[in-house]
Amino acid sequence: MPGASVLRVNTTFRRRRPPRLRAVAVLTGVAALLIAPGTWSPVSASTNAGSPQISLSSFRWIFHKEDFNHIRAKNPALIQQILAGPGTYVLERRKGGPPLPPRVVPVQIFYSQYGLQKTIDKNRIMPGVELVSDDLESWTITPREERHDPITAMQSFAQTAHDNGLRPILVPGRDLMRVPNAVCTQPHYTISQAYLTCGLPAAAQYAPVFVIQAAAVETDLTALTQLVQQGAQQARAANPKVQVYATLSVSPNGATVGYGAVVKAAQAIAPYVDGFSMNNVRPSDPRMIGFLQALSQASSSSSS
């Protein structure tokens, strides 16, 4: 992993305006995962026993703008509970649609350092935006050199953001581990093993927020817990002040997952994250609302 550069990392996570993102990584199952490079440390999903009660207002949340607006239209009471929490962030690529509530922090989405720099050069950062996300994936919208060396690419993205008065959110996809002949390509490891061995979560040293793309393994609670626990540990070792999120979805990679299974996934990883990033391929999918309703009802039951 490249050495830390002289980088001004402002870990204060304030609010302002931004864009939209949809991270759909192609992920495989996980057998054994890593706490640190070269150290195998299987973790049982049962480690979440006694985990803190999940409520909508006890965690931070990241939504895509279209999902947030859909929930707000269908069930405004859920949004009120979410907004009572420590932070709600909405991803968008362009302005438009209903104005966001005052407590919502908008985040402008990018897919590469190149895209961020190009937008800055053209003076097209959305008015009032302070946060920008780097959805670095193995897809053609991300330049080949950034897919080839994702850690250097994330460092460059963060540096560009800081140099222009912005704060970065890093959201690297695990499909980057299968880019042919790339820095993190490790064909004899599973994707998650390669993700941790290559040290992608340690890129949190460059940013105040790091998102672990975990939705594709959310129905395998052992694999999910191993990935998130060890990824969060690696991120916080690099930056003790970082906010760590994990993605959850009722439609991971286009599959159908019942909201009850997503509730179990959230409970399994709740001890290791500061919040959840909801990632779905159908913005109008009612199962995402079902997931949020289930957390709301569980919270109400426990307090009664």
Side-chain angles (χ1 to χ4, degrees), residues 263-300:
V263 170
K264 290 180 180 179
Q267 291 170 338
I269 61 177
Y272 313 114
V273 297
D274 300 292
F276 302 107
S277 179
M278 300 306 297
N279 185 9
N280 298 293
V281 296
R282 291 181 290 276
S284 62
D285 196 325
R287 284 178 287 117
M288 180 173 62
I289 295 179
F291 162 73
L292 298 171
Q293 287 176 323
L295 297 187
S296 174
Q297 293 166 1
S299 179
S300 300

Side-chain angles (χ1 to χ4, degrees), residues 147-150 175-190 194-195 198 200:
R147 285 177 275 148
H148 179 80
D149 189 352
D175 59 347
L176 293 164
M177 305 302 98
R178 290 296 184 257
V179 174
N181 302 313
V183 170
C184 289
T185 302
Q186 300 176 58
H188 300 297
Y189 284 171
T190 66
Y195 174 89
C198 199
L200 264 71

Side-chain angles (χ1 to χ4, degrees), residues 9 33 43 51 65 101 103 121 131 162 165 195 203 221 261 263 282:
V9 179
L33 294 175
V43 177
S51 61
K65 186 174 183 179
R103 285 180 55 83
D121 291 344
L131 292 157
H162 288 295
Y195 174 89
L221 296 184
V263 170
R282 291 181 290 276

Side-chain angles (χ1 to χ4, degrees), residues 169-271:
I169 298 175
L170 301 179
V171 195
R174 285 187 290 164
D175 59 347
L176 293 164
M177 305 302 98
R178 290 296 184 257
V179 174
N181 302 313
V183 170
C184 289
T185 302
Q186 300 176 58
H188 300 297
Y189 284 171
T190 66
I191 287 180
S192 291
Q193 289 168 357
Y195 174 89
L196 293 168
T197 302
C198 199
L200 264 71
Q205 68 183 296
Y206 307 127
V209 180
F210 187 88
V211 180
I212 300 170
Q213 291 197 25
V217 294
E218 67 189 11
T219 57
D220 183 339
L221 296 184
T222 297
L224 174 70
T225 304
Q226 290 171 343
L227 171 67
V228 174
Q229 179 184 10
Q230 296 171 17
Q233 182 179 16
Q234 192 177 113
R236 293 188 178 109
N239 178 5
K241 295 183 179 180
V242 72
Q243 289 181 13
V244 178
Y245 291 73
T247 59
L248 293 172
S249 178
V250 294
S251 307
N253 293 340
T256 297
V257 175
Y259 71 80
V262 185
V263 170
K264 290 180 180 179
Q267 291 170 338
I269 61 177

Side-chain angles (χ1 to χ4, degrees), residues 12-55:
T12 303
F13 197 37
R14 292 182 311 200
R15 81 170 72 128
R16 260 310 161 271
R17 257 187 193 113
R20 118 171 246 229
L21 146 65
R22 207 104 349 209
V24 182
V26 179
L27 305 172
T28 63
V30 183
L33 294 175
L34 306 168
I35 284 181
T39 303
W40 302 111
S41 181
V43 177
S44 169
S46 64
T47 55
N48 73 337
S51 61
Q53 172 67 45
I54 298 179
S55 70

